[in-house]
Amino acid sequence: MSQRDAFFDNAKYAAIVLVAVGHAWEPLRDGSRTVSAMYMLVYAFHMPAFIVISGYFSRSFDGRPKQLKRLVSGLVVPYVVFETAYTLFTRWTDQEPDRPISLLDPLYLTWFLAALFLWRLTTPLWQRVRLPVPLALAVAMLATLSPSIGNDLDLQRALQFLPYFVLGLSLRPEHFRMVRRRAVRIAAVPVFAGAFVVAYWAVPRMTGAWFYHRDSAGELGAPEWYGVLMTPVLFGCSLVLVACFLSWVPGRRMWCTALGVGTLYGYLLHGFVAQGSKYWGWYDPAWMHRPLGAVVVTLVAAAVVTVLCTPPVRRALRFVVEPELRWLLRREAAEPDRERVAART
């Protein structure tokens, strides 16, 4: 078994913490321009970073039986389980007892599982076309013109985030070494500071929904051509921030490195706390909407998602997040040694 790269596990852990913190900040945005700016800044790069890394680790996908089994057990089954669970849970927290269970219309954060399933299935195609990233970017730009795409499997979001996944497929280890150079790390500080200033300026002038990538330009109240223009602009801005984010990710083993293995658990489970906290009134006290409240919310969100990535949680819930499915999927014959086969041909 090849040894895991601590850098990528650290990056995944840091990204999932930002995902949880972003969800925790959401109820605090009203009345706080600063929180809204931080929220917009984080949303500009946290999912792109996660998706680029997902694409990077999908480079070997070519549709072999073992990989298809992994798609079913690691994406399809968790999608069905958590789509159902979130629907039942939000019937209670949102006071919508008639909310239907629809496996075609992802609820809340389950869209990522559906999108990753589609992206992985199309990986062999993207690895064989010329100029895959520009082509994927063109697909994303066209998606912003099409409000008729609908909510089936949240296809609009899958298409608009597609360029980040395809970029990940195109990257090599040396590209990550480049962004981890000292010069990039130093430059990341003023870049992030400038990005926050721009976000602060943009809060009353621009909807942060552009960074969700789930709506067409028309659905965001903008002319259609805005989507064609905004897609490459946002793509470029997000990639700069992703590079700056990765430049500060440690490459050595740390206390949080092992937690990078369990980021899918943290992603899927923290949403119950994020949704329930509003229903339970955790945001009701007035002090929660002051600077101290934002700090407390940030620390609690980071702590909760950290706990959800730990080995005890993974062991307890492996049967639904990473099930074996031996009862469902038949066992295939051992795959031939690919290098030996290539040597014979």
Side-chain angles (χ1 to χ4, degrees):
M1 181 183 293
S2 61
Q3 187 176 4
R4 295 182 65 94
D5 190 325
F7 167 75
F8 289 106
D9 282 335
N10 292 337
K12 290 194 294 182
Y13 169 73
I16 203 62
V17 168
L18 290 176
V19 170
V21 168
H23 285 151
W25 282 343
E26 189 172 347
L28 302 178
R29 289 182 298 160
D30 291 341
S32 176
R33 187 171 176 178
T34 300
V35 173
S36 296
M38 292 191 299
Y39 179 88
M40 185 180 292
L41 175 60
V42 166
Y43 266 77
F45 74 91
H46 71 347
M47 283 310 296
F50 216 91
I51 294 167
V52 166
I53 294 173
S54 297
Y56 179 75
F57 282 102
S58 299
R59 292 172 301 157
S60 63
F61 185 89
D62 56 12
R64 282 172 283 159
K66 186 176 180 180
Q67 294 174 330
L68 293 176
K69 286 182 178 180
R70 181 65 178 165
L71 272 186
V72 174
S73 62
L75 293 177
V76 176
V77 172
Y79 174 76
V80 172
V81 170
F82 283 91
E83 176 67 19
T84 303
Y86 272 112
T87 301
L88 296 177
F89 188 71
T90 56
R91 281 181 181 179
W92 171 53
T93 58
D94 293 347
Q95 298 294 292
E96 294 188 24
D98 298 325
R99 174 172 285 167
I101 297 175
S102 173
L103 298 181
L104 290 178
D105 186 6
L107 180 66
Y108 197 32
L109 46 72
T110 57
W111 71 268
F112 179 69
L113 297 179
L116 187 54
F117 176 79
L118 296 174
W119 295 333
R120 283 244 173 98
L121 281 182
T122 61
T123 290
L125 171 64
W126 293 110
Q127 290 180 324
R128 284 163 176 78
V129 299
R130 290 190 174 94
L131 303 176
V133 176
L135 180 58
L137 192 58
V139 171
M141 293 164 67
L142 291 174
T144 66
L145 301 175
S146 309
S148 60
I149 287 177
N151 296 323
D152 289 352
L153 295 182
D154 220 342
L155 190 56
Q156 182 71 254
R157 184 139 47 177
L159 293 177
Q160 290 194 37
F161 272 118
L162 176 63
Y164 301 98
F165 182 82
V166 174
L167 175 66
L169 291 175
S170 307
L171 295 178
R172 297 293 178 266
E174 54 267 27
H175 296 126
F176 290 96
R177 287 195 291 269
M178 288 174 59
V179 301
R180 294 165 62 192
R181 291 179 302 180
R182 186 170 181 270
V184 180
R185 195 176 302 119
I186 293 173
V189 177
V191 168
F192 267 121
F196 174 77
V197 171
V198 172
Y200 191 87
W201 171 86
V203 165
R205 298 173 174 85
M206 169 186 168
T207 173
W210 282 105
F211 295 105
Y212 300 158
H213 296 289
R214 68 185 178 197
D215 300 301
S216 66
E219 290 171 313
L220 293 176
E224 290 186 347
W225 63 268
Y226 268 45
V228 176
L229 176 64
M230 287 290 285
T231 299
V233 170
L234 293 179
F235 183 68
C237 292
S238 293
L239 288 188
V240 169
L241 294 175
V242 168
C244 292
F245 163 72
L246 293 176
S247 73
W248 277 96
V249 172
R252 65 186 184 280
R253 291 196 62 83
M254 302 175 63
W255 65 269
C256 62
T257 303
L259 301 178
V261 182
T263 50
L264 183 60
Y265 291 79
Y267 179 80
L268 292 173
L269 295 171
H270 86 275
F272 292 107
V273 181
Q275 290 292 312
S277 61
K278 304 168 192 175
Y279 178 77
W280 297 321
W282 292 1
Y283 291 91
D284 291 347
W287 67 271
M288 288 291 288
H289 297 268
R290 298 183 185 128
L292 176 60
V295 173
V296 170
V297 164
T298 301
L299 295 176
V300 170
V304 167
V305 79
T306 297
V307 170
L308 295 177
C309 293
T310 56
V313 174
R314 300 204 306 268
R315 286 194 295 268
L317 295 176
R318 192 180 302 275
F319 71 101
V320 291
V321 180
E322 298 177 287
E324 292 288 341
L325 296 185
R326 292 173 182 169
W327 58 272
L328 177 63
L329 301 174
R330 69 183 183 183
R331 188 174 181 178
E332 297 287 339
E335 295 181 18
D337 188 308
R338 301 177 75 189
E339 293 183 0
R340 197 173 299 165
V341 171
R344 291 200 206 104
T345 57

